Short mmCIF file of all heavy atoms in Angstrom, two decimals:
data_model
loop_
_atom_site.label_atom_id
_atom_site.label_comp_id
_atom_site.label_asym_id
_atom_site.label_seq_id
_atom_site.Cartn_x
_atom_site.Cartn_y
_atom_site.Cartn_z
N MET A 1 0.82 -1.20 0.00
CA MET A 1 0.00 0.00 0.00
C MET A 1 0.87 1.26 0.00
O MET A 1 0.57 2.21 -0.69
CB MET A 1 -0.93 -0.03 1.22
CG MET A 1 -1.94 1.05 1.22
SD MET A 1 -3.15 0.73 -0.06
CE MET A 1 -4.44 1.75 0.48
N ALA A 2 1.94 1.24 0.77
CA ALA A 2 2.82 2.40 0.82
C ALA A 2 3.53 2.61 -0.50
O ALA A 2 3.87 3.72 -0.88
CB ALA A 2 3.83 2.25 1.95
N TYR A 3 3.76 1.51 -1.22
CA TYR A 3 4.41 1.60 -2.52
C TYR A 3 3.57 2.39 -3.52
O TYR A 3 4.09 3.16 -4.32
CB TYR A 3 4.68 0.19 -3.04
CG TYR A 3 5.39 0.15 -4.37
CD1 TYR A 3 6.71 0.54 -4.47
CD2 TYR A 3 4.72 -0.26 -5.52
CE1 TYR A 3 7.37 0.53 -5.69
CE2 TYR A 3 5.36 -0.28 -6.74
CZ TYR A 3 6.69 0.11 -6.82
OH TYR A 3 7.33 0.10 -8.02
N GLN A 4 2.25 2.23 -3.46
CA GLN A 4 1.36 2.97 -4.35
C GLN A 4 1.43 4.47 -4.06
O GLN A 4 1.43 5.28 -4.98
CB GLN A 4 -0.07 2.48 -4.20
CG GLN A 4 -0.30 1.11 -4.77
CD GLN A 4 -1.72 0.63 -4.52
OE1 GLN A 4 -2.39 1.12 -3.62
NE2 GLN A 4 -2.14 -0.35 -5.30
N TYR A 5 1.50 4.83 -2.79
CA TYR A 5 1.60 6.25 -2.45
C TYR A 5 2.92 6.84 -2.93
O TYR A 5 2.97 7.99 -3.35
CB TYR A 5 1.43 6.46 -0.95
CG TYR A 5 0.02 6.22 -0.48
CD1 TYR A 5 -0.25 5.30 0.53
CD2 TYR A 5 -1.05 6.90 -1.04
CE1 TYR A 5 -1.54 5.08 0.96
CE2 TYR A 5 -2.35 6.68 -0.62
CZ TYR A 5 -2.58 5.76 0.38
OH TYR A 5 -3.86 5.54 0.80
N ASP A 6 3.99 6.06 -2.87
CA ASP A 6 5.27 6.54 -3.37
C ASP A 6 5.21 6.80 -4.86
O ASP A 6 5.73 7.81 -5.35
CB ASP A 6 6.38 5.53 -3.06
CG ASP A 6 6.69 5.43 -1.57
OD1 ASP A 6 6.35 6.38 -0.83
OD2 ASP A 6 7.25 4.40 -1.16
N LEU A 7 4.57 5.91 -5.60
CA LEU A 7 4.43 6.11 -7.05
C LEU A 7 3.58 7.34 -7.35
O LEU A 7 3.88 8.10 -8.28
CB LEU A 7 3.82 4.88 -7.70
CG LEU A 7 4.72 3.66 -7.86
CD1 LEU A 7 3.94 2.49 -8.44
CD2 LEU A 7 5.90 3.99 -8.73
N LEU A 8 2.52 7.53 -6.58
CA LEU A 8 1.68 8.71 -6.79
C LEU A 8 2.43 10.00 -6.47
O LEU A 8 2.25 11.02 -7.15
CB LEU A 8 0.41 8.61 -5.95
CG LEU A 8 -0.61 7.59 -6.43
CD1 LEU A 8 -1.77 7.49 -5.44
CD2 LEU A 8 -1.13 7.95 -7.80
N GLU A 9 3.27 9.97 -5.44
CA GLU A 9 4.05 11.16 -5.11
C GLU A 9 5.06 11.48 -6.22
O GLU A 9 5.25 12.64 -6.56
CB GLU A 9 4.78 10.96 -3.79
CG GLU A 9 3.88 11.03 -2.59
CD GLU A 9 4.63 10.80 -1.28
OE1 GLU A 9 5.88 10.68 -1.32
OE2 GLU A 9 3.97 10.75 -0.24
N VAL A 10 5.68 10.47 -6.77
CA VAL A 10 6.61 10.69 -7.88
C VAL A 10 5.87 11.23 -9.10
O VAL A 10 6.32 12.18 -9.73
CB VAL A 10 7.36 9.38 -8.23
CG1 VAL A 10 8.14 9.52 -9.52
CG2 VAL A 10 8.28 8.97 -7.10
N PHE A 11 4.72 10.64 -9.41
CA PHE A 11 3.92 11.12 -10.55
C PHE A 11 3.49 12.57 -10.34
O PHE A 11 3.59 13.39 -11.24
CB PHE A 11 2.70 10.23 -10.74
CG PHE A 11 1.77 10.74 -11.80
CD1 PHE A 11 2.10 10.65 -13.14
CD2 PHE A 11 0.56 11.32 -11.45
CE1 PHE A 11 1.25 11.12 -14.13
CE2 PHE A 11 -0.30 11.80 -12.42
CZ PHE A 11 0.05 11.70 -13.76
N GLN A 12 3.02 12.88 -9.15
CA GLN A 12 2.58 14.24 -8.87
C GLN A 12 3.74 15.22 -8.92
O GLN A 12 3.60 16.33 -9.44
CB GLN A 12 1.90 14.31 -7.50
CG GLN A 12 1.32 15.66 -7.20
CD GLN A 12 0.61 15.69 -5.86
OE1 GLN A 12 0.67 14.74 -5.10
NE2 GLN A 12 -0.03 16.79 -5.57
N GLY A 13 4.88 14.83 -8.41
CA GLY A 13 6.05 15.70 -8.47
C GLY A 13 6.50 15.98 -9.89
O GLY A 13 6.84 17.12 -10.24
N LEU A 14 6.51 14.95 -10.73
CA LEU A 14 6.87 15.16 -12.14
C LEU A 14 5.84 16.02 -12.85
O LEU A 14 6.19 16.90 -13.65
CB LEU A 14 7.01 13.81 -12.84
CG LEU A 14 8.24 12.99 -12.49
CD1 LEU A 14 8.15 11.61 -13.13
CD2 LEU A 14 9.49 13.70 -12.94
N ASN A 15 4.58 15.79 -12.59
CA ASN A 15 3.51 16.55 -13.23
C ASN A 15 3.58 18.02 -12.83
O ASN A 15 3.45 18.91 -13.67
CB ASN A 15 2.16 15.95 -12.87
CG ASN A 15 1.05 16.49 -13.72
OD1 ASN A 15 1.29 17.04 -14.78
ND2 ASN A 15 -0.17 16.33 -13.25
N GLN A 16 3.78 18.29 -11.56
CA GLN A 16 3.81 19.67 -11.10
C GLN A 16 5.08 20.40 -11.52
O GLN A 16 5.11 21.62 -11.57
CB GLN A 16 3.67 19.72 -9.58
CG GLN A 16 2.30 19.37 -9.10
CD GLN A 16 2.20 19.38 -7.59
OE1 GLN A 16 3.18 19.48 -6.88
NE2 GLN A 16 0.97 19.27 -7.10
N SER A 17 6.14 19.67 -11.83
CA SER A 17 7.39 20.32 -12.19
C SER A 17 7.34 20.98 -13.56
O SER A 17 8.08 21.92 -13.82
CB SER A 17 8.54 19.31 -12.14
OG SER A 17 8.39 18.36 -13.17
N TYR A 18 6.49 20.52 -14.45
CA TYR A 18 6.44 21.12 -15.79
C TYR A 18 5.08 21.73 -16.12
O TYR A 18 4.96 22.42 -17.13
CB TYR A 18 6.82 20.10 -16.86
CG TYR A 18 5.78 19.04 -17.11
CD1 TYR A 18 4.75 19.25 -18.00
CD2 TYR A 18 5.82 17.83 -16.44
CE1 TYR A 18 3.79 18.29 -18.24
CE2 TYR A 18 4.87 16.86 -16.67
CZ TYR A 18 3.87 17.09 -17.56
OH TYR A 18 2.92 16.15 -17.77
N PHE A 19 4.08 21.54 -15.33
CA PHE A 19 2.72 21.93 -15.71
C PHE A 19 2.59 23.43 -15.92
O PHE A 19 2.16 23.88 -16.99
CB PHE A 19 1.73 21.45 -14.66
CG PHE A 19 0.32 21.89 -14.93
CD1 PHE A 19 -0.40 21.33 -15.96
CD2 PHE A 19 -0.26 22.87 -14.16
CE1 PHE A 19 -1.69 21.74 -16.22
CE2 PHE A 19 -1.55 23.28 -14.41
CZ PHE A 19 -2.26 22.72 -15.45
N MET A 20 2.93 24.24 -14.95
CA MET A 20 2.73 25.68 -15.08
C MET A 20 3.68 26.29 -16.09
O MET A 20 3.30 27.19 -16.85
CB MET A 20 2.89 26.37 -13.72
CG MET A 20 1.72 26.15 -12.79
SD MET A 20 0.14 26.65 -13.49
CE MET A 20 0.31 28.40 -13.52
N SER A 21 4.92 25.83 -16.14
CA SER A 21 5.85 26.38 -17.12
C SER A 21 5.39 26.05 -18.54
O SER A 21 5.51 26.89 -19.44
CB SER A 21 7.26 25.89 -16.87
OG SER A 21 7.31 24.48 -16.95
N LEU A 22 4.88 24.86 -18.75
CA LEU A 22 4.36 24.50 -20.07
C LEU A 22 3.13 25.34 -20.42
O LEU A 22 2.98 25.80 -21.56
CB LEU A 22 4.01 23.01 -20.11
CG LEU A 22 3.51 22.46 -21.43
CD1 LEU A 22 4.58 22.57 -22.49
CD2 LEU A 22 3.05 21.02 -21.26
N PHE A 23 2.27 25.58 -19.45
CA PHE A 23 1.10 26.42 -19.68
C PHE A 23 1.50 27.83 -20.09
O PHE A 23 0.97 28.39 -21.05
CB PHE A 23 0.25 26.46 -18.40
CG PHE A 23 -0.91 27.39 -18.48
CD1 PHE A 23 -2.02 27.09 -19.23
CD2 PHE A 23 -0.88 28.59 -17.79
CE1 PHE A 23 -3.09 27.96 -19.30
CE2 PHE A 23 -1.95 29.46 -17.84
CZ PHE A 23 -3.04 29.15 -18.61
N PHE A 24 2.46 28.43 -19.38
CA PHE A 24 2.91 29.78 -19.73
C PHE A 24 3.63 29.80 -21.08
O PHE A 24 3.50 30.76 -21.84
CB PHE A 24 3.83 30.34 -18.64
CG PHE A 24 3.08 30.82 -17.44
CD1 PHE A 24 3.32 30.26 -16.19
CD2 PHE A 24 2.14 31.82 -17.53
CE1 PHE A 24 2.63 30.69 -15.08
CE2 PHE A 24 1.44 32.26 -16.43
CZ PHE A 24 1.68 31.70 -15.21
N PHE A 25 4.37 28.76 -21.40
CA PHE A 25 5.04 28.68 -22.69
C PHE A 25 4.03 28.64 -23.83
O PHE A 25 4.17 29.35 -24.83
CB PHE A 25 5.96 27.46 -22.73
CG PHE A 25 6.65 27.28 -24.04
CD1 PHE A 25 7.71 28.08 -24.39
CD2 PHE A 25 6.22 26.30 -24.93
CE1 PHE A 25 8.36 27.92 -25.60
CE2 PHE A 25 6.85 26.13 -26.14
CZ PHE A 25 7.92 26.94 -26.48
N ILE A 26 3.00 27.83 -23.69
CA ILE A 26 1.98 27.72 -24.74
C ILE A 26 1.22 29.03 -24.88
O ILE A 26 0.95 29.49 -25.99
CB ILE A 26 1.03 26.54 -24.44
CG1 ILE A 26 1.78 25.22 -24.61
CG2 ILE A 26 -0.19 26.57 -25.35
CD1 ILE A 26 1.02 24.02 -24.13
N SER A 27 0.86 29.66 -23.77
CA SER A 27 0.12 30.92 -23.86
C SER A 27 0.98 32.03 -24.45
O SER A 27 0.50 32.86 -25.21
CB SER A 27 -0.42 31.32 -22.50
OG SER A 27 0.63 31.57 -21.59
N ALA A 28 2.28 32.05 -24.12
CA ALA A 28 3.17 33.07 -24.68
C ALA A 28 3.39 32.85 -26.16
O ALA A 28 3.63 33.81 -26.91
CB ALA A 28 4.50 33.05 -23.94
N TYR A 29 3.31 31.62 -26.60
CA TYR A 29 3.47 31.32 -28.02
C TYR A 29 2.38 32.01 -28.85
O TYR A 29 2.63 32.49 -29.95
CB TYR A 29 3.45 29.81 -28.24
CG TYR A 29 3.59 29.40 -29.67
CD1 TYR A 29 4.83 29.41 -30.30
CD2 TYR A 29 2.48 28.99 -30.41
CE1 TYR A 29 4.97 29.03 -31.62
CE2 TYR A 29 2.61 28.61 -31.73
CZ TYR A 29 3.84 28.63 -32.33
OH TYR A 29 3.96 28.26 -33.64
N PHE A 30 1.17 32.07 -28.33
CA PHE A 30 0.05 32.65 -29.07
C PHE A 30 -0.10 34.15 -28.86
O PHE A 30 -0.88 34.79 -29.55
CB PHE A 30 -1.25 31.94 -28.69
CG PHE A 30 -1.30 30.52 -29.16
CD1 PHE A 30 -1.19 29.48 -28.26
CD2 PHE A 30 -1.43 30.23 -30.50
CE1 PHE A 30 -1.23 28.17 -28.70
CE2 PHE A 30 -1.47 28.92 -30.95
CZ PHE A 30 -1.36 27.89 -30.04
N VAL A 31 0.63 34.73 -27.92
CA VAL A 31 0.51 36.16 -27.66
C VAL A 31 1.03 36.97 -28.83
O VAL A 31 0.42 37.97 -29.21
CB VAL A 31 1.26 36.54 -26.36
CG1 VAL A 31 1.49 38.03 -26.26
CG2 VAL A 31 0.47 36.09 -25.16
N THR A 32 2.14 36.57 -29.41
CA THR A 32 2.73 37.37 -30.47
C THR A 32 1.83 37.50 -31.69
O THR A 32 1.68 38.59 -32.25
CB THR A 32 4.10 36.78 -30.89
OG1 THR A 32 3.93 35.42 -31.25
CG2 THR A 32 5.09 36.88 -29.76
N SER A 33 1.20 36.40 -32.10
CA SER A 33 0.32 36.49 -33.26
C SER A 33 -0.91 37.33 -32.97
O SER A 33 -1.37 38.09 -33.82
CB SER A 33 -0.08 35.10 -33.74
OG SER A 33 -0.81 34.43 -32.74
N SER A 34 -1.43 37.21 -31.76
CA SER A 34 -2.60 38.01 -31.39
C SER A 34 -2.24 39.49 -31.30
O SER A 34 -3.01 40.35 -31.70
CB SER A 34 -3.15 37.51 -30.06
OG SER A 34 -4.25 38.27 -29.66
N LEU A 35 -1.07 39.78 -30.77
CA LEU A 35 -0.62 41.17 -30.65
C LEU A 35 -0.40 41.78 -32.03
O LEU A 35 -0.78 42.93 -32.26
CB LEU A 35 0.66 41.23 -29.82
CG LEU A 35 1.24 42.59 -29.52
CD1 LEU A 35 0.23 43.42 -28.73
CD2 LEU A 35 2.52 42.46 -28.74
N GLU A 36 0.18 41.04 -32.95
CA GLU A 36 0.39 41.55 -34.31
C GLU A 36 -0.93 41.76 -35.03
O GLU A 36 -1.09 42.71 -35.80
CB GLU A 36 1.27 40.60 -35.11
CG GLU A 36 2.71 40.60 -34.68
CD GLU A 36 3.53 39.56 -35.40
OE1 GLU A 36 2.95 38.79 -36.21
OE2 GLU A 36 4.75 39.51 -35.17
N ARG A 37 -1.89 40.87 -34.82
CA ARG A 37 -3.17 40.96 -35.52
C ARG A 37 -4.02 42.11 -35.00
O ARG A 37 -4.62 42.85 -35.78
CB ARG A 37 -3.93 39.64 -35.38
CG ARG A 37 -5.19 39.57 -36.19
CD ARG A 37 -5.89 38.24 -36.06
NE ARG A 37 -6.40 38.04 -34.71
CZ ARG A 37 -5.98 37.09 -33.86
NH1 ARG A 37 -5.06 36.24 -34.22
NH2 ARG A 37 -6.50 36.98 -32.67
N LYS A 38 -4.06 42.29 -33.68
CA LYS A 38 -4.96 43.28 -33.09
C LYS A 38 -4.31 44.65 -32.91
O LYS A 38 -5.00 45.66 -32.91
CB LYS A 38 -5.44 42.80 -31.71
CG LYS A 38 -6.33 41.61 -31.77
CD LYS A 38 -6.76 41.22 -30.38
CE LYS A 38 -7.64 39.99 -30.41
NZ LYS A 38 -8.07 39.60 -29.08
N GLY A 39 -3.03 44.69 -32.70
CA GLY A 39 -2.37 45.93 -32.36
C GLY A 39 -2.32 46.06 -30.83
O GLY A 39 -3.05 45.39 -30.10
N GLN A 40 -1.42 46.93 -30.37
CA GLN A 40 -1.16 47.00 -28.94
C GLN A 40 -2.36 47.49 -28.13
O GLN A 40 -2.71 46.92 -27.10
CB GLN A 40 0.04 47.90 -28.69
CG GLN A 40 0.55 47.87 -27.28
CD GLN A 40 1.83 48.64 -27.13
OE1 GLN A 40 2.25 49.35 -28.04
NE2 GLN A 40 2.44 48.52 -25.98
N ARG A 41 -3.00 48.54 -28.58
CA ARG A 41 -4.11 49.12 -27.83
C ARG A 41 -5.30 48.16 -27.72
O ARG A 41 -5.84 47.94 -26.64
CB ARG A 41 -4.56 50.42 -28.47
CG ARG A 41 -5.63 51.15 -27.71
CD ARG A 41 -5.96 52.46 -28.36
NE ARG A 41 -4.80 53.33 -28.39
CZ ARG A 41 -4.65 54.40 -27.61
NH1 ARG A 41 -5.60 54.73 -26.78
NH2 ARG A 41 -3.58 55.13 -27.67
N LEU A 42 -5.71 47.57 -28.82
CA LEU A 42 -6.84 46.65 -28.81
C LEU A 42 -6.50 45.37 -28.05
O LEU A 42 -7.35 44.80 -27.37
CB LEU A 42 -7.26 46.32 -30.24
CG LEU A 42 -8.51 45.46 -30.40
CD1 LEU A 42 -9.71 46.14 -29.76
CD2 LEU A 42 -8.78 45.18 -31.85
N PHE A 43 -5.24 44.92 -28.13
CA PHE A 43 -4.82 43.72 -27.40
C PHE A 43 -4.94 43.94 -25.90
O PHE A 43 -5.49 43.09 -25.19
CB PHE A 43 -3.38 43.38 -27.78
CG PHE A 43 -2.82 42.20 -27.05
CD1 PHE A 43 -3.16 40.92 -27.43
CD2 PHE A 43 -1.97 42.37 -25.98
CE1 PHE A 43 -2.65 39.82 -26.76
CE2 PHE A 43 -1.45 41.29 -25.30
CZ PHE A 43 -1.79 40.02 -25.69
N ILE A 44 -4.44 45.07 -25.41
CA ILE A 44 -4.51 45.36 -23.98
C ILE A 44 -5.96 45.55 -23.54
O ILE A 44 -6.36 45.08 -22.48
CB ILE A 44 -3.65 46.59 -23.64
CG1 ILE A 44 -2.18 46.24 -23.85
CG2 ILE A 44 -3.90 47.08 -22.23
CD1 ILE A 44 -1.23 47.39 -23.70
N LYS A 45 -6.75 46.21 -24.35
CA LYS A 45 -8.17 46.40 -24.03
C LYS A 45 -8.90 45.06 -23.94
O LYS A 45 -9.66 44.81 -23.01
CB LYS A 45 -8.84 47.28 -25.09
CG LYS A 45 -10.30 47.53 -24.84
CD LYS A 45 -10.89 48.36 -25.97
CE LYS A 45 -12.38 48.47 -25.82
NZ LYS A 45 -13.01 49.11 -26.96
N ASP A 46 -8.64 44.17 -24.89
CA ASP A 46 -9.26 42.85 -24.91
C ASP A 46 -8.84 42.03 -23.69
O ASP A 46 -9.66 41.36 -23.07
CB ASP A 46 -8.90 42.12 -26.20
CG ASP A 46 -9.60 40.80 -26.33
OD1 ASP A 46 -10.83 40.77 -26.11
OD2 ASP A 46 -8.93 39.80 -26.65
N LYS A 47 -7.55 42.09 -23.35
CA LYS A 47 -7.08 41.34 -22.18
C LYS A 47 -7.68 41.89 -20.89
O LYS A 47 -8.00 41.14 -19.97
CB LYS A 47 -5.55 41.37 -22.08
CG LYS A 47 -4.89 40.55 -23.13
CD LYS A 47 -5.25 39.10 -22.99
CE LYS A 47 -4.69 38.29 -24.12
NZ LYS A 47 -5.17 36.93 -24.15
N PHE A 48 -7.84 43.20 -20.81
CA PHE A 48 -8.46 43.77 -19.62
C PHE A 48 -9.91 43.34 -19.50
O PHE A 48 -10.38 43.01 -18.41
CB PHE A 48 -8.37 45.29 -19.63
CG PHE A 48 -9.00 45.91 -18.42
CD1 PHE A 48 -8.37 45.84 -17.19
CD2 PHE A 48 -10.23 46.54 -18.51
CE1 PHE A 48 -8.97 46.40 -16.07
CE2 PHE A 48 -10.82 47.10 -17.40
CZ PHE A 48 -10.18 47.02 -16.17
N ILE A 49 -10.63 43.32 -20.61
CA ILE A 49 -12.03 42.90 -20.57
C ILE A 49 -12.13 41.43 -20.18
O ILE A 49 -12.94 41.04 -19.36
CB ILE A 49 -12.71 43.17 -21.93
CG1 ILE A 49 -12.87 44.67 -22.13
CG2 ILE A 49 -14.07 42.48 -22.01
CD1 ILE A 49 -13.34 45.06 -23.52
N ARG A 50 -11.27 40.60 -20.77
CA ARG A 50 -11.34 39.16 -20.50
C ARG A 50 -10.83 38.79 -19.13
O ARG A 50 -11.33 37.84 -18.51
CB ARG A 50 -10.52 38.40 -21.53
CG ARG A 50 -11.16 38.36 -22.87
CD ARG A 50 -10.29 37.56 -23.79
NE ARG A 50 -11.10 37.07 -24.89
CZ ARG A 50 -10.73 36.12 -25.69
NH1 ARG A 50 -9.57 35.54 -25.51
NH2 ARG A 50 -11.52 35.73 -26.66
N LEU A 51 -9.80 39.48 -18.63
CA LEU A 51 -9.18 39.10 -17.36
C LEU A 51 -9.46 40.10 -16.24
O LEU A 51 -9.60 39.71 -15.08
CB LEU A 51 -7.66 38.95 -17.54
CG LEU A 51 -7.22 37.92 -18.57
CD1 LEU A 51 -5.72 37.99 -18.76
CD2 LEU A 51 -7.65 36.54 -18.16
N GLY A 52 -9.49 41.37 -16.57
CA GLY A 52 -9.62 42.40 -15.54
C GLY A 52 -10.99 42.44 -14.89
O GLY A 52 -11.10 42.50 -13.65
N PHE A 53 -12.04 42.41 -15.68
CA PHE A 53 -13.38 42.46 -15.11
C PHE A 53 -13.70 41.26 -14.23
O PHE A 53 -14.25 41.43 -13.13
CB PHE A 53 -14.44 42.62 -16.20
CG PHE A 53 -14.50 44.02 -16.77
CD1 PHE A 53 -14.70 44.20 -18.12
CD2 PHE A 53 -14.38 45.13 -15.96
CE1 PHE A 53 -14.75 45.47 -18.66
CE2 PHE A 53 -14.43 46.41 -16.47
CZ PHE A 53 -14.62 46.58 -17.83
N PRO A 54 -13.39 40.04 -14.63
CA PRO A 54 -13.65 38.91 -13.71
C PRO A 54 -12.87 39.02 -12.40
O PRO A 54 -13.38 38.67 -11.34
CB PRO A 54 -13.21 37.69 -14.51
CG PRO A 54 -13.35 38.09 -15.92
CD PRO A 54 -13.01 39.54 -15.97
N VAL A 55 -11.64 39.53 -12.48
CA VAL A 55 -10.86 39.70 -11.24
C VAL A 55 -11.51 40.75 -10.36
O VAL A 55 -11.64 40.56 -9.14
CB VAL A 55 -9.40 40.06 -11.57
CG1 VAL A 55 -8.67 40.52 -10.34
CG2 VAL A 55 -8.69 38.88 -12.19
N LEU A 56 -11.90 41.86 -10.95
CA LEU A 56 -12.55 42.92 -10.16
C LEU A 56 -13.86 42.44 -9.54
O LEU A 56 -14.15 42.72 -8.38
CB LEU A 56 -12.80 44.15 -11.03
CG LEU A 56 -11.56 44.94 -11.45
CD1 LEU A 56 -11.96 46.05 -12.41
CD2 LEU A 56 -10.84 45.50 -10.26
N ILE A 57 -14.65 41.73 -10.31
CA ILE A 57 -15.93 41.22 -9.79
C ILE A 57 -15.69 40.22 -8.67
O ILE A 57 -16.37 40.25 -7.64
CB ILE A 57 -16.76 40.60 -10.94
CG1 ILE A 57 -17.24 41.71 -11.87
CG2 ILE A 57 -17.94 39.82 -10.40
CD1 ILE A 57 -17.86 41.21 -13.15
N SER A 58 -14.72 39.33 -8.84
CA SER A 58 -14.46 38.35 -7.77
C SER A 58 -13.91 39.04 -6.54
O SER A 58 -14.21 38.62 -5.41
CB SER A 58 -13.49 37.28 -8.27
OG SER A 58 -12.25 37.84 -8.58
N LEU A 59 -13.12 40.08 -6.68
CA LEU A 59 -12.62 40.81 -5.52
C LEU A 59 -13.74 41.51 -4.77
O LEU A 59 -13.75 41.55 -3.54
CB LEU A 59 -11.56 41.82 -5.93
CG LEU A 59 -10.19 41.27 -6.29
CD1 LEU A 59 -9.29 42.37 -6.81
CD2 LEU A 59 -9.56 40.57 -5.10
N VAL A 60 -14.70 42.04 -5.51
CA VAL A 60 -15.83 42.71 -4.87
C VAL A 60 -16.67 41.72 -4.06
O VAL A 60 -17.06 41.99 -2.93
CB VAL A 60 -16.71 43.43 -5.93
CG1 VAL A 60 -18.05 43.84 -5.35
CG2 VAL A 60 -15.97 44.63 -6.49
N PHE A 61 -16.91 40.56 -4.64
CA PHE A 61 -17.75 39.58 -3.94
C PHE A 61 -17.03 38.83 -2.84
O PHE A 61 -17.66 38.33 -1.91
CB PHE A 61 -18.36 38.59 -4.94
CG PHE A 61 -19.48 39.17 -5.74
CD1 PHE A 61 -19.35 39.33 -7.11
CD2 PHE A 61 -20.64 39.60 -5.13
CE1 PHE A 61 -20.37 39.87 -7.85
CE2 PHE A 61 -21.67 40.14 -5.86
CZ PHE A 61 -21.54 40.29 -7.23
N MET A 62 -15.71 38.71 -2.93
CA MET A 62 -14.98 37.98 -1.91
C MET A 62 -14.57 38.85 -0.72
O MET A 62 -14.33 38.34 0.36
CB MET A 62 -13.73 37.34 -2.52
CG MET A 62 -14.04 36.16 -3.39
SD MET A 62 -12.52 35.43 -3.94
CE MET A 62 -13.13 34.16 -4.99
N CYS A 63 -14.44 40.13 -0.94
CA CYS A 63 -14.00 41.01 0.15
C CYS A 63 -15.14 41.69 0.85
O CYS A 63 -16.20 41.78 0.59
CB CYS A 63 -13.04 42.06 -0.37
SG CYS A 63 -11.50 41.35 -0.92
#
């Protein structure tokens, strides 16, 4: 039984070691094409609408 937990800990450690860095790498890969297509002003405006408003709303309801 303890052997199974050791395998799960190794799997979880390997998974967590690359998960967030891979996520940021993939998202950064698509930023350049979106920035070139939309332009700087529209890109920042779009990101604020998509990310800024949900953060502000969640802060209002959580605090």
Side-chain angles (χ1 to χ4, degrees):
M1 188 71 162
Y3 181 70
Q4 289 176 340
Y5 290 124
D6 291 339
L7 285 176
L8 287 175
E9 286 179 5
V10 170
F11 174 72
Q12 184 178 7
L14 287 173
N15 192 19
Q16 289 178 350
S17 68
Y18 72 86
F19 176 72
M20 286 304 290
S21 60
L22 182 64
F23 174 74
F24 283 120
F25 178 75
I26 291 170
S27 63
Y29 179 77
F30 292 108
V31 164
T32 55
S33 62
S34 179
L35 183 61
E36 288 175 357
R37 186 178 67 244
K38 293 180 181 180
Q40 189 173 10
R41 184 177 299 253
L42 185 60
F43 178 78
I44 292 174
K45 180 183 173 187
D46 185 48
K47 289 297 175 189
F48 180 74
I49 290 171
R50 287 182 158 196
L51 301 174
F53 285 140
V55 168
L56 290 175
I57 291 170
S58 63
L59 285 175
V60 166
F61 285 115
M62 287 184 183
C63 293

